[in-house]
Amino acid sequence: MLKFATDAADSPKSIRVRFAPSPTGDLHVGGVRTALFNYLFARHTGGKFLLRIEDTDKERSTPAAIQVILDGLAWLGVTPDEPVVYQSARIERHKEAAYQILKSGLGYRCFCNPEELTAKREAARSIGKPFKYDRTCLKLKPAEIEGKLAAGTPWAVRVRVPDEDLTFEDGVHSEVRILGEDLEDFVLLRGDGTPTYMLAVVVDDADMGITHIIRGDEHLLNTPKQILIYKAMGCPVPRFAHVPLILGTDKKKLSKRHGATSITWYKEQGYLPETMLNFLGLLGWSPGDDRNVISRDELIELFDVSGIIPHGAVFDEQKLRWLNGQYISKTDFQSVRKSLLTYAEQAAADGRLERLPDEAYLEQVWNLIRSRIYFLSDLFYSALYLFQDPTSYDEKGMRKHFQKEGIADRLKTLSGDFESISRWTAVSIEETIRRRAEEWGASASELIHPLRLAVSGVTVGPGLFELLEVLGKEAVVKRIFIAVERIKQ
Ligand code: GLU
């Protein structure tokens, strides 16, 4: 099989790739993966990664929908090396290319009424037959063409496709073939003067000097037709690699049915950009081993189109969540400080958080909890007790740890011990607890569990001694007092 990037003809420096999304209002994770593969390929080969917004659908291409794409890519640091190209600004150029193909004799004018053609197409489909344009207008005599032009009949430009099969070598799928019988003379420019996707994409890629096209499988069968257009324009044909679909756990195409598909949602949910980059980078691509964790630099170093897996990859949300936990546990406070403060403000505005934490305290909390959470926002949901007294206690925990004979007195005694600790550290706290446990002939865990429940309201969390240290002596003593009152009730 042809090697995608490193044929003798390629000087790596001249490699130019692009991501060409159509704004829809959402940036699908599949699109992000396509962008990422192109970006990695460019970085790996020393080439350029470009972005072209295919904004010819006026209704969908609102400034907001375009911004979603730009923001999503910027968040991941997958940003273009040259100014963004907007397809809508290039319509005159697309038309010019269509006229050029017409002039060269490889295209022809089609005066057929598009509504009638659509009706014929539908009729054929309804009886399960393929419809192929019957080349009515290819057979027109020059005088007939003149007559129609003089009468002002609108015309489209079609490209004359050869009768044989079309093939090309794909970087992922090897040889791809469309049978000649399945090809029809397709439209480049519509009767209303608007270019089709097929034309615009080729003209833009040619003008942008794109050498390699990595994109979704849905464009696989468009490719032979696009290659015809390159040839008709006399332009070099890029290499193509088509990336298989992303699937849900039921092995069907990933869609909203399976859960969220938009990158913005993952961002808002508290996934880190490093997580998404790692996860999407290994979704349908493998460096040849079964690692789950990989950095941006490693992706760049190892990325090669030959590692793209030629069948659909399953989007495993459990794994994504786990991975986010891995990254969170390695992230230092400064990198998440701003986001945490935003989450805190949100929690305060929602009434969950009584007051905004001070930064030095937040940093301590972060270091204590980061290896135990999956999302930044968890801090202000499941770990609110780090900022304020618990308002309730886990039911099962209460039955297990608060109903033991004498527990209220033990907690009270411990609280008194705590008050007299002069250096409030995890070590001194641990010593105090263990000393009492020994004296009472109890195991340390018989004290640790009720203490945890008393100060946090829950039965799981960070190491108790470290937790108490971070909470501070005053809060701990107060919380034990509240819990003891509760136990006595
Ligand atoms: N705008 C097209 C899409 O979003 C992509 C075109 C291409 O990559 O060739 O599907």
Side-chain angles (χ1 to χ4, degrees):
M1 190 163 113
L2 164 140
K3 227 162 164 273
F4 190 66
T6 48
D7 255 24
D10 290 323
S11 130
K13 284 274 172 296
S14 65
I15 284 180
R16 292 169 68 81
V17 294
R18 50 58 165 189
F19 173 47
S22 312
T24 60
D26 245 5
L27 180 55
H28 192 281
V29 284
V32 175
R33 184 186 60 163
T34 300
L36 178 60
F37 284 5
N38 278 284
Y39 163 89
L40 294 174
F41 182 64
R43 287 289 169 279
H44 178 82
T45 55
K48 293 258 189 285
F49 168 67
L50 313 187
L51 174 63
R52 179 175 68 244
I53 305 278
E54 304 212 318
D55 56 345
T56 48
D57 179 340
K58 286 269 169 311
E59 265 173 35
R60 305 189 93 183
S61 304
T62 59
I66 294 173
Q67 200 57 45
V68 165
I69 297 174
L70 301 177
D71 289 349
L73 294 178
W75 179 59
L76 293 164
V78 176
T79 46
D81 297 317
E82 290 179 12
V84 179
V85 173
Y86 291 88
Q87 189 162 65
S88 61
R90 298 182 35 82
I91 293 181
E92 288 311 311
R93 170 68 187 119
H94 303 145
K95 285 185 187 172
E96 186 188 305
Y99 299 145
Q100 183 207 334
I101 292 172
L102 183 63
K103 219 164 121 200
S104 72
L106 295 163
Y108 61 92
R109 287 189 178 88
C110 174
F111 297 92
C112 294
N113 179 316
E115 283 82 39
E116 280 171 22
L117 286 179
T118 309
K120 282 190 197 170
R121 202 177 291 278
E122 302 280 287
R125 187 175 303 149
S126 69
I127 54 167
K129 271 190 149 178
F131 173 85
K132 224 169 115 162
Y133 179 61
D134 57 8
R135 293 186 164 160
T136 305
C137 292
L138 184 62
K139 296 166 207 148
L140 292 177
K141 307 238 160 42
E144 290 172 295
I145 297 176
E146 288 309 320
K148 286 182 188 287
L149 287 175
T153 314
W155 48 273
V157 177
R158 284 184 189 270
V159 70
R160 164 89 172 82
V161 305
D163 296 317
E164 68 265 23
D165 298 355
L166 294 181
T167 61
F168 75 99
E169 195 65 35
D170 187 83
V172 176
H173 301 279
S174 305
E175 191 193 81
V176 177
R177 175 178 294 267
I178 321 194
L179 301 180
E181 64 202 55
D182 292 337
L183 280 163
E184 69 168 2
D185 293 349
F186 55 96
V187 174
L188 299 177
L189 198 64
R190 299 185 190 90
D192 63 5
T194 57
T196 57
Y197 153 72
M198 212 61 94
L199 174 67
V201 75
V202 172
V203 175
D204 290 348
D205 282 335
D207 287 355
M208 289 164 74
I210 300 302
T211 56
H212 294 72
I213 293 181
I214 305 170
R215 61 183 174 185
D217 252 0
E218 66 273 23
H219 293 294
L220 193 62
L221 295 183
N222 290 332
T223 305
K225 297 183 197 169
Q226 292 174 5
I227 291 175
L228 280 182
I229 304 177
Y230 282 101
K231 290 187 172 155
M233 286 170 48
C235 294
V237 179
R239 303 255 169 79
F240 292 90
H242 288 87
V243 186
L245 288 175
I246 298 181
L247 309 176
T249 37
D250 57 358
K251 303 281 165 75
K252 301 230 169 74
K253 181 180 171 187
L254 182 75
S255 72
K256 292 203 173 122
R257 253 182 331 109
H258 297 102
T261 55
S262 115
I263 195 75
T264 319
W265 186 87
Y266 287 96
K267 177 181 174 201
E268 284 166 0
Q269 208 55 32
Y271 284 94
L272 299 175
E274 297 88 326
T275 308
M276 296 312 289
L277 211 71
N278 178 152
F279 182 76
L280 294 174
L282 292 178
L283 190 59
W285 176 80
S286 159
D289 52 35
D290 54 6
R291 74 180 86 188
N292 288 313
V293 179
I294 191 164
S295 69
R296 178 189 301 256
D297 287 347
E298 289 167 325
L299 280 168
I300 291 172
E301 189 194 323
L302 298 170
F303 189 80
D304 183 28
V305 166
S306 64
I308 296 177
I309 298 159
H311 48 77
V314 173
F315 191 96
D316 181 347
E317 263 208 78
Q318 290 302 323
K319 189 162 152 189
L320 178 59
R321 196 179 132 88
W322 167 83
L323 194 60
N324 207 47
Q326 295 292 304
Y327 276 97
I328 284 200
S329 69
K330 285 186 272 179
T331 303
D332 63 44
F333 178 67
Q334 282 313 320
S335 320
V336 287
R337 190 186 134 263
K338 260 172 82 185
S339 310
L340 289 179
L341 291 172
T342 308
Y343 283 115
E345 278 159 22
Q346 227 167 53
D350 294 350
R352 267 177 289 128
L353 187 66
E354 287 162 12
R355 77 198 89 75
L356 293 177
D358 92 34
E359 276 195 37
Y361 180 70
L362 191 57
E363 180 166 5
Q364 280 182 294
V365 163
W366 177 250
N367 291 330
L368 176 72
I369 200 83
R370 65 182 178 176
S371 62
R372 313 190 60 93
I373 56 175
Y374 294 104
F375 302 105
L376 300 186
S377 56
D378 285 353
L379 218 56
F380 303 102
Y381 283 98
S382 56
L384 268 178
Y385 65 83
L386 290 163
F387 306 101
Q388 59 209 22
D389 302 341
T391 47
S392 62
Y393 302 93
D394 178 81
E395 295 272 338
K396 235 169 102 188
M398 283 215 287
R399 281 197 298 276
K400 213 161 152 198
H401 308 301
F402 280 0
Q403 288 181 1
K404 281 227 178 93
E405 193 52 44
I407 190 65
D409 289 336
R410 284 184 169 180
L411 286 176
K412 250 191 344 210
T413 307
L414 279 168
S415 178
D417 293 345
F418 290 159
E419 277 186 288
S420 59
I421 292 181
S422 54
R423 262 179 58 83
W424 184 253
T425 64
V427 174
S428 57
I429 295 166
E430 177 170 5
E431 273 169 14
T432 307
I433 294 173
R434 291 201 188 281
R435 207 181 312 118
R436 280 293 182 194
E438 209 170 301
E439 182 191 323
W440 294 332
S443 68
S445 68
E446 279 175 76
L447 304 182
I448 288 172
H449 292 306
L451 268 171
R452 176 189 299 290
L453 186 61
V455 299
S456 71
V458 291
T459 53
V460 287
L464 182 78
F465 315 126
E466 290 74 19
L467 171 64
L468 296 188
E469 178 184 324
V470 168
L471 286 175
K473 190 202 283 192
E474 202 185 317
V476 168
V477 167
K478 176 171 161 225
R479 290 181 189 190
I480 293 177
F481 176 81
I482 300 173
V484 166
E485 292 301 301
R486 179 64 194 266
I487 293 169
K488 284 197 200 143
Q489 276 171 21

